[in-house]
Structure formats: C-alpha cells, structure tokens
Amino acid sequence: MRLILLGAPGVGKGTQAKALAKELNLPHICSGNLLRQAVKENTELGKQAKSYMEKGELVPDALVDQLVFNRINQPDAEAGFVLDGYPRNVHQAVELDQKLSDSQREIDTVINLEASQAVIIQRLSGRRICSNCQANFHIKNMPPKKEGICDYCGAKLYQRPDDKEETIKNRLRVYRKEAESLIDFYKNRSKLLRMPADEEADIVLKKILDKLNGYFKISTRNSIDEGGRPDFKENS
Ligand code: AMP
C-alpha cells in the first residue's frame, strides 16, 4: 500500500505517518528528515537545501525529488511506503506519479489531516526532536520519560530552529499557498481521504486505520491484501 499524508506543519503528520508505517509494516519516508540528514552530513545537496530550510521556504523541487525518489526506489519500499512531507506542491505530485508509473506503481490513498490553527500552534511550539534518531516528542502531549532525553536512544532532544514562532508563521503561509491546489489534485483523482486531526494521536490513528480497513482489507503489522480500488469522492 502506498500512502501519502498531507497536512499543515504541526497537524500531527509525522506522528501519524510513523505510527501508520509501524502498524502497516511499511517504511516511513519523510522528506524533512531526509533533508535534515543531508544537512547534518553536509552533503552537496544538504549545503544547497540548508538556507531554504532555515527560512521555512520550500527547497527547490529538483533537490527534494531526487532525495525522495532515491528513497522510494530502495528494496524495502517496493511493497509500499508512507510518504510524509512530500509532495508539497502539484509539480512534485506530478513528478511522483510519473516516477511511480515508470515502475508500474501508483499512490493508493492520500490522507489529508485537518486541525484548527490553535491546535497547530500549540503542537509546534511544544515539539522536541531527538538529535540522533529524529523521534518526535511534545513537552505536554507526549513528554519523554526523562526531560530533554530521547526515550529510544538516550540522545538529547532539541527544538527545531524552524519551530520558532516567526518561522512557524512563514511555514504555515507557505503551506497554505500550495496546499489548496495539491488537495484538489488528489481530490480530482478520487484519492483524497479527509481526516479530522484535532484529537489525541492514538484516537486519530485508530480512525485512520478503521477508514483504511473499510477501503482495503488491511491487517496491521502483517500482510496487506488490497481488495478493490476505493473511491474517496464521497468523503472529499
Ligand atoms: P518538515 O519537516 O516537513 O516541516 O520540513 C522541513 C523543511 O524541509 C521545510 O520547511 C522545507 O524547507 C523542507 N522540505 C521538506 N519537504 C519538502 C518538500 N517536499 N519540498 C520542498 N521543501 C521541503
């Protein structure tokens, strides 16, 4: 199964993508993480992407496309994946469709997570990331067992520089500018599944899995048996 998660920064996209990937036994492919890794490793691509990321601007399509396509062509993504943060605009969506169809693959479902502005700001300002394994925490909603330390690998947690208020506002502006046409792109292809995401993460996850189960015959953390192509027209 090939899933895309859409939603504004702070809507809980990363948390849901990671949990879904685990439940469905698929790789979680996150463009932001791939880019941060490239910056951390100071690769040629990372050097070019850095200044855009610091300002909350989108990194040029050609750079991100290359990173994501390399990743989805890895053997572990052959049976499917959960894409998070990509595509961010229609150009990327078209490129992705093209790239997948070159290998007789296509996106099954695009989940659009929707939350109020107040919830988004609360989530982003309290978010903390592991400096080593990139796991996400939240100082209130999902605190680590030991303050400032990752539960999984023991490394230090940090606040992303682009989670500062001014940059958050810019990221939300950038997101909105591109989101509408991207959502329409998938809606017109009857792939869009709209999901309210104001509630706690585990409740949202359960609702997503219930929906997917209604469209595909999925068995979580095991095999996935696709039964018939869903049509999300009614839902969108
Ligand atoms: P995220 O972790 O998804 O919030 O992404 C962090 C930053 O990485 C964004 O503000 C962009 O600068 C860049 N980025 C991530 N994904 C993309 C993408 N699909 N296209 C362009 N830039 C991206």
Side-chain angles (χ1 to χ4, degrees):
M1 181 181 285
R2 290 168 208 101
L3 299 177
I4 292 176
L5 284 211
L6 296 183
V11 80
K13 207 166 15 91
T15 305
Q16 293 302 329
K18 198 168 173 201
L20 271 174
K22 192 171 170 196
E23 285 294 330
L24 301 171
N25 201 18
L26 295 172
H28 167 212
I29 301 181
C30 170
S31 54
N33 284 352
L34 293 174
L35 284 163
R36 279 184 286 278
Q37 191 64 29
V39 171
K40 195 171 158 191
E41 288 169 3
N42 208 22
T43 64
E44 204 41 56
L45 193 152
K47 282 185 212 159
Q48 291 180 54
K50 193 169 183 233
S51 64
Y52 296 94
M53 294 173 74
E54 281 171 351
K55 286 182 279 186
E57 302 290 342
L58 288 186
V59 172
D61 292 335
L63 297 179
V64 192
D65 292 346
Q66 186 192 329
L67 260 188
V68 173
F69 297 155
N70 283 346
R71 182 64 191 89
I72 62 180
N73 282 332
Q74 300 294 313
D76 68 333
E78 232 166 70
F81 47 75
V82 179
L83 256 185
D84 160 16
Y86 185 94
R88 280 280 225 286
N89 56 36
V90 173
H91 173 89
Q92 293 180 2
V94 171
E95 285 292 306
L96 176 64
D97 268 6
Q98 183 59 50
K99 200 74 188 171
L100 288 174
S101 77
D102 287 348
S103 49
Q104 286 79 47
R105 294 183 286 178
E106 66 172 309
I107 294 298
D108 294 298
T109 301
V110 179
I111 301 166
N112 188 39
L113 296 173
E114 301 172 344
S116 65
Q117 173 100 348
V119 168
I120 285 178
I121 293 196
Q122 190 266 355
R123 282 183 184 162
L124 280 181
S125 53
R127 178 159 74 173
R128 298 292 180 272
I129 315 280
C130 173
S131 52
N132 177 48
C133 72
Q134 323 265 337
N136 269 2
F137 296 87
H138 189 280
I139 50 174
K140 273 204 185 127
N141 307 348
M142 213 178 6
K145 291 189 188 105
K146 193 171 167 204
E147 196 184 326
I149 301 293
C150 177
D151 288 356
Y152 308 106
C153 71
K156 273 193 182 164
L157 302 183
Y158 75 104
Q159 181 175 35
R160 272 171 45 175
D162 58 353
D163 278 346
K164 303 272 153 59
E165 196 170 331
E166 257 326 289
T167 319
I168 288 177
K169 285 186 186 155
N170 195 34
R171 286 164 65 206
L172 288 172
R173 269 194 297 271
V174 169
Y175 175 76
R176 284 198 202 97
K177 196 167 144 240
E178 303 286 356
E180 219 170 291
S181 41
L182 187 57
I183 288 166
D184 282 346
F185 177 87
Y186 287 117
K187 196 168 161 183
N188 292 337
R189 284 159 179 74
S190 303
K191 304 245 170 175
L192 194 75
L193 175 60
R194 295 178 61 187
M195 286 302 304
D198 272 345
E199 292 177 285
E200 295 292 313
D202 49 350
I203 298 173
V204 177
L205 175 64
K206 185 174 181 313
K207 288 186 177 174
I208 295 175
L209 288 170
D210 285 349
K211 278 273 181 198
L212 290 178
N213 221 355
Y215 297 122
F216 305 92
K217 198 166 151 262
I218 60 168
S219 52
T220 51
R221 295 195 207 198
N222 213 327
S223 61
I224 298 159
D225 175 20
E226 295 183 16
R229 183 142 306 286
D231 186 334
F232 297 120
K233 265 193 188 119
E234 278 170 35
N235 185 282
S236 53

